[in-house]
Amino acid sequence: MTDAQSIHIQNGGSCEVVQSNGVTTNGHGHHHHHHHSSSSSSSSKHKSSSKDKHRDREREHKSSNSSSSSKEHKSSSRDKDRHKSSSSSSKHRDKDKERDGSSNSHRSGSSSSHKDKDGSSSSKHKSSSGHHKRSSKDKERRDKDKDRGSSSSSRHKSSSSSRDKERSSSSHKSSSSSSSSKSKHSSSRHSSSSSSKDQPSYDGVFVKPEPVSQQLMHSGSVDAFQMQQLGSYEAAAAGTNFNGNGNVAGANYKNGYEESIVDIKKEEESFNNLSQASSCDYSMSQFRADEPPFVVKHEQSYAEEDSTMNYNDHDDDADEMNDDEEDVPLAMRKRKQEATDRPDGGMDNDDDDDIPLLARKKVKKEKIKKESKEKSKKRVKEEPSDDYGNVKPKKKKMKKEPEPAVSPGKRQKAKAKVEEEEVWRWWEEEKRADGVKWSTLEHKGPVFAPRYERVPRNVRFYYDGKPLELSEETEEAATFYAKMLNHDYCTKEVFNNNFFKDFRKSMTPREREIIKDFRKCNFQEMFNYFQAESEKRKAASKEEKLIKKNENEALMKEFGFCMIDGHKEKIGNFRLEPPGLFRGRGEHPKMGMIKRRIQASDVSINCGKDSKVPSPPPGSRWKEVRHDNTVTWLASWIENVQGQVKYIMLNPSSKLKGEKDHIKYETARRLDKVIDKIRATYRDEWKSKEMRVRQRAVALYFIDKLALRAGNEKDEDQADTVGCCSLRVEHVQLHKELNGKENVVVFDFPGKDSIRYYNEVEVEKRVFKNLELFMEHKKEGDDLFDRLNTQVLNEHLKELMEGLTAKVFRTYNASKTLQSQLDLLTDPSATVPEKLLAYNRANRAVAILCNHQRSVPKSHEKSMENLKEKIKAKREAIEKCESEYHSRDEKKGKQLERLRDQLKKLELQETDRDENKTIALGTSKLNYLDPRISVAWCKKHDVPIEKIFNKTQRTKFLWAVHMADENYRF
DNA sequence: TTCCGAACTTAGGAGTTGTGCG
DNA sequence: CGCACAACTCCTAAGTTCGGAA
């Protein structure tokens, strides 16, 4: 594999990941401190990115919130910071950044206006914090307004507003200030200035880190790493290299660790690929100014066009725009009207109102309430499958021999293969074609949450300083909050308000009469009690723990498995979710609401027609029992906070899940066969006369190159996060030139789970021009791609390849990247630990591409300090040794060598730990990387599979372990 | 034909367990 | 031998996509 070259190709434009180096992420460590910190000042809650922690704390302080909150800080803060808090601010910030100060003002203004429109509701919330909302929201608002009407929605709206607020406030740390000012928190301006670079942190949400600076990295080479990490990490790859000099990039890679890699190759590669870079690490990205994430290679190729086009461009574009009436933004259709606001202009005339697709936003659904509806019943399809007939013998699974095609008849008796016992080698059987998922299914039903146990009488709830006895239901609600007293959530106003509202609902009339002010509630004693209980549990004797463990196992044995088509399979989540407080991520408008206890009468059971129906708890009945073999769930219920259906399904090791997973990767491999054509097509479409086609082509380019998510529209009662199709004007900044790169697009937006995505990407000129066009006459809350949404995009993709959807690109680019990085980084003659390092780097490259982040472990800072201490001590030892060393002293010489070696190791560890601080490798390994690539790599390089996959992963990927040989290639 | 909800995948954090170290 | 930290498991929120209802 080493030949990297072959590999690269990957995307045409896309990504490539890091070349060699790229992979590494870099150290972020540093980052935090840097930037953000300063910004932190902003009081706003949001967190600034990096340092978040600190900030968080700050916030906490600031925030008044309930008394309770007091403590929380610590732990969570950071994490939260990243996500949650940041969110709000972030958005704004983004904008801020872009516009920065001046603009801000405008915005705010505008926003305000919008708000106004929105209406009342918003105002309220806003008041609290933010003010402005962004235009986008405006749209939403509009929608909402329409929908909801002004009234009630307030909350929601409010939520929306809140978002706005948040955004505003948060806005970047610094910049945001403007907005912030209003917002309560807002801090003032800190440095608003920070221009682009600063990070924009969304305050809340992203908290991440700061960029690391490159600093540390040991070697110079490091830079490269950093770069990569930062931004692209790889970006480097292409672009960077070039720009920077290819060498650099490439080289580093290892260097960090030391090796050098193939610079050359990389460079070449880089050309080919575009890079993807991604990431946001918060940290990184920011810093990385240097590198150019993408490569521009294409440009060259397309350059020609551009040139021509350029001239025309304007014209063309213009024309196009005008022309396209068709263009009307999708939204329009839905539109709400409100549209008026926008100046619209340019883009489409048509659109005048154009409401882009969005318009439609839905208001949330009140559905929740409706739960009743459940139509469910209908489905029951019991399709009689032949198989049915038999009831399955529950016998266990047999291990079947491997006969391929065997009919599904499962049961054969086990032959003697003992193998791993009951492994069901479904991958050796034929797949079922139709939508039928199983023939027979029997299970014991879900395990209910333990019933509430009252706290001892001496553990009291205080109201206004006086102990107050609570009814059972009220007390339970109080304990939900008490258990979280030290969590950051408790410092959030939305959380506290939502909780108190629901808390009051659970009270008896008399209690309700008394408890009217949340600030007078004191949960401290309860909190202390739970802490003590927790300690007690930890301190329990071995016997006690063992007993508990056994009980648990017994439960798992009884309810944790089901019989499906004659095989015993593990259930993924056989316990119903216990009641508690809803913990939404980011600035979720519903955080803090009480998730109520689920009763048998809330649960629908799905099982085989001829199987034994699980028995509900004595005295109760299931809401429904159905026999639908076209779905895979065993039980379902509607969760009250968001009104969505929750399910009990099988474990990832099951056939049902594994088969689907296999299909997913096969689809991605099919994409590999047509990717060149697709890339050529979308490039071509950048010149289309139709605005919608251009938008679609540019969006697809981002999805391919940056591995962005599709980006569905969201309701207002959810956190404001976006994906590719839902990007708004404020999430993107265009720079003709930035840090030595041309045509740079800076993405900064809250993605899934409110994780910040920050990336400075060098794009082809034509893309850049198109973006300018798309943004013309739009304001902050407007959709960047107003004629596009995920349905439209996926419909188009379906025409390009069967089964192709936006998410396939993520899977494809992730797996492709792993394959190419492994080829590039693995030295066949290296030792196993070295190979593992290479594997982890390849994995890291993917994680960066996909922007998989994690909060910095709470103990990270401390552990880094410890490590630094050790390094320092080691250095001193070396110095001492050196001073005592006289050239002929062999002993000393050896000792010196040894010490230097140890130092190197420690430094390596430091880098590695720091680099991984904000990067989560598990998500990509579990969901995006074709396991066969890893299996083949292990087989080829004699690396035990256990080194790569832990036990859970091995069971999930058992099919891959059996299917792939060392020659497998994605 | 659009709209909407059901179904299923992807995601990070909390909590628990394992483990190497001093 | 307890500790610090990493590894892993569990949990459930938050996405995407599909297909059926209206």
Side-chain angles (χ1 to χ4, degrees), chain A residues 258-291:
Chain A
E258 47 208 321
E259 324 176 0
S260 50
I261 300 187
V262 189
D263 308 335
I264 303 179
K265 297 179 184 179
K266 297 178 181 181
E267 296 181 352
E268 301 178 354
E269 301 176 353
S270 43
F271 292 91
N272 309 322
N273 340 292
L274 305 179
S275 49
Q276 25 199 357
S278 49
S279 61
C280 346
D281 280 302
Y282 309 107
S283 5
M284 322 180 134
S285 21
Q286 318 171 340
F287 301 36
R288 66 94 139 14
D290 9 0
E291 48 233 351

Side-chain angles (χ1 to χ4, degrees), chain A residues 797-941:
Chain A
L797 293 177
K798 203 150 66 177
E799 288 170 7
L800 300 179
M801 185 190 100
E802 189 194 339
L804 186 61
T805 63
K807 85 185 191 95
V808 177
F809 284 88
R810 268 194 130 211
T811 307
Y812 167 71
N813 282 126
S815 288
K816 189 78 182 173
T817 297
L818 177 72
Q819 178 80 261
S820 64
Q821 289 295 305
L822 285 177
D823 289 347
L824 190 66
L825 304 174
T826 310
D827 172 0
S829 60
T831 62
V832 169
E834 287 170 330
K835 285 174 179 168
L836 286 173
L837 182 63
Y839 181 89
N840 284 330
R841 282 183 175 155
N843 189 166
R844 189 151 42 188
V846 176
I848 289 172
L849 170 68
C850 294
N851 198 35
H852 289 144
Q853 306 198 28
R854 62 170 184 161
S855 56
V856 177
K858 306 181 166 124
S859 54
H860 183 267
E861 207 166 305
K862 198 164 171 200
S863 74
M864 284 305 280
E865 266 173 39
N866 291 342
L867 206 52
K868 283 195 172 108
E869 287 282 311
K870 282 191 201 168
I871 290 175
K872 197 170 155 198
K874 194 66 74 188
R875 285 205 175 112
E876 279 165 7
I878 289 177
E879 253 174 59
K880 183 169 170 228
C881 199
E882 277 173 343
S883 64
E884 295 167 3
Y885 176 66
H886 300 293
S887 42
R888 262 161 229 94
D889 187 345
E890 292 238 335
K891 218 177 198 174
K892 276 287 181 206
K894 283 222 169 117
Q895 186 185 354
L896 195 55
E897 201 176 300
R898 195 180 335 120
L899 285 171
R900 283 183 173 145
D901 230 47
Q902 291 174 331
L903 176 63
K904 196 167 151 195
K905 222 175 249 173
L906 283 173
E907 287 178 334
L908 203 93
Q909 193 182 352
E910 183 189 20
T911 308
D912 204 51
R913 193 185 288 179
D914 218 46
E915 285 181 355
N916 262 3
K917 179 174 60 185
T918 58
I919 300 177
L921 303 185
T923 306
S924 52
K925 196 185 265 190
L926 221 51
N927 304 299
Y928 290 102
L929 303 179
D930 182 345
R932 291 167 296 182
I933 297 171
S934 300
V935 170
W937 180 84
C938 283
K939 289 180 177 170
K940 178 166 182 173
H941 296 284

Side-chain angles (χ1 to χ4, degrees), chain A residues 643-786:
Chain A
Q644 46 185 218
V645 186
K646 299 276 205 157
Y647 304 91
I648 282 186
M649 291 186 186
L650 298 182
N651 187 85
S653 61
S654 64
K655 169 195 169 177
L656 243 29
K657 297 289 187 188
E659 205 162 68
K660 202 85 188 288
D661 211 35
H662 178 226
I663 291 171
K664 173 179 75 183
Y665 293 113
E666 287 306 296
T667 301
R669 295 175 82 201
R670 277 193 288 124
L671 172 57
D672 189 43
K673 306 216 169 75
V674 295
I675 192 72
D676 291 339
K677 194 169 148 211
I678 289 175
R679 285 174 177 157
T681 304
Y682 67 60
R683 271 179 202 312
D684 228 41
E685 290 178 344
W686 291 341
K687 298 177 285 190
S688 169
K689 292 236 158 128
E690 283 186 78
M691 183 56 97
R692 47 171 265 278
V693 173
R694 281 195 186 208
Q695 291 192 352
R696 192 179 69 198
V698 171
L700 185 52
Y701 167 72
F702 288 149
I703 285 173
D704 181 24
K705 175 167 182 154
L706 306 176
L708 300 186
R709 294 188 184 83
N712 283 309
E713 287 138 34
K714 298 183 72 181
D715 292 341
E716 281 98 35
D717 55 352
Q718 295 175 293
D720 178 31
T721 61
V722 302
C724 189
C725 296
S726 50
L727 283 170
R728 294 190 298 262
V729 170
E730 71 265 28
H731 297 134
V732 162
Q733 285 183 66
L734 304 181
H735 297 272
K736 273 271 176 227
E737 208 234 297
L738 180 66
N739 301 322
K741 296 182 291 184
E742 291 188 345
N743 301 319
V744 177
V745 180
V746 178
F747 291 87
D748 194 347
F749 60 86
K752 181 177 181 181
D753 289 328
S754 290
I755 292 290
R756 178 188 187 185
Y757 181 91
Y758 180 86
N759 199 3
E760 294 174 5
V761 183
E762 184 166 17
V763 302
E764 293 172 54
K765 190 158 189 177
R766 178 142 232 109
V767 169
F768 193 83
K769 294 218 157 211
N770 269 314
L771 289 171
E772 289 179 323
L773 183 64
F774 301 160
M775 294 169 74
E776 232 168 66
H777 305 301
K778 287 190 189 171
K779 31 182 214 293
E780 221 169 71
D782 296 340
D783 288 326
L784 177 61
F785 301 117
D786 53 90

Side-chain angles (χ1 to χ4, degrees), chain A residues 178-377:
Chain A
S178 58
S179 53
S180 52
S181 53
K182 299 183 172 187
S183 47
K184 40 166 66 249
H185 324 344
S186 59
S187 34
S188 27
R189 55 276 341 301
H190 323 341
S191 46
S192 43
S193 55
S194 45
S195 28
S196 48
K197 292 194 166 179
D198 340 356
Q199 10 205 320
S201 36
Y202 287 62
D203 301 278
V205 183
F206 315 104
V207 172
K208 265 202 141 188
E210 339 248 347
V212 171
S213 33
Q214 337 188 337
Q215 31 207 319
L216 296 180
M217 318 287 275
H218 317 311
S219 40
S221 48
V222 177
D223 305 320
F225 282 87
Q226 302 173 339
M227 302 185 43
Q228 303 174 337
Q229 292 189 323
L230 303 177
S232 36
Y233 68 12
E234 90 25 329
T240 348
N241 299 340
F242 291 96
N243 306 336
N245 11 317
N247 324 337
V248 177
N252 322 338
Y253 193 43
K254 286 190 161 197
N255 48 6
Y257 302 46
E258 47 208 321
E259 324 176 0
S260 50
I261 300 187
V262 189
D263 308 335
I264 303 179
K265 297 179 184 179
K266 297 178 181 181
E267 296 181 352
E268 301 178 354
E269 301 176 353
S270 43
F271 292 91
N272 309 322
N273 340 292
L274 305 179
S275 49
Q276 25 199 357
S278 49
S279 61
C280 346
D281 280 302
Y282 309 107
S283 5
M284 322 180 134
S285 21
Q286 318 171 340
F287 301 36
R288 66 94 139 14
D290 9 0
E291 48 233 351
F294 290 127
V295 175
V296 181
K297 127 194 224 184
H298 308 312
E299 295 195 356
Q300 307 178 345
S301 12
Y302 296 87
E304 357 152 354
E305 309 173 9
D306 286 1
S307 52
T308 26
M309 304 277 312
N310 295 339
Y311 301 96
N312 309 331
D313 264 9
H314 303 309
D315 306 72
D316 296 353
D317 298 350
D319 298 350
E320 300 175 357
M321 312 254 320
N322 304 333
D323 305 351
D324 314 344
E325 306 186 348
E326 336 129 341
D327 296 351
V328 178
L330 309 178
M332 299 187 55
R333 322 163 166 196
K334 319 159 152 252
R335 76 227 8 287
K336 289 198 127 219
Q337 61 310 9
E338 214 189 359
T340 55
D341 313 358
R342 42 155 88 213
D344 72 31
M347 302 274 266
D348 6 10
N349 309 339
D350 326 344
D351 304 354
D352 309 358
D353 16 84
D354 49 10
I355 308 184
L357 316 178
L358 308 179
R360 33 158 90 245
K361 306 202 143 201
K362 359 179 141 205
V363 175
K364 286 258 147 112
K365 2 219 66 268
E366 344 167 1
K367 350 169 154 188
I368 299 186
K369 316 192 147 206
K370 314 180 169 185
E371 315 176 354
S372 47
K373 40 176 80 193
E374 310 223 346
K375 11 288 311 327
S376 28
K377 309 134 171 247

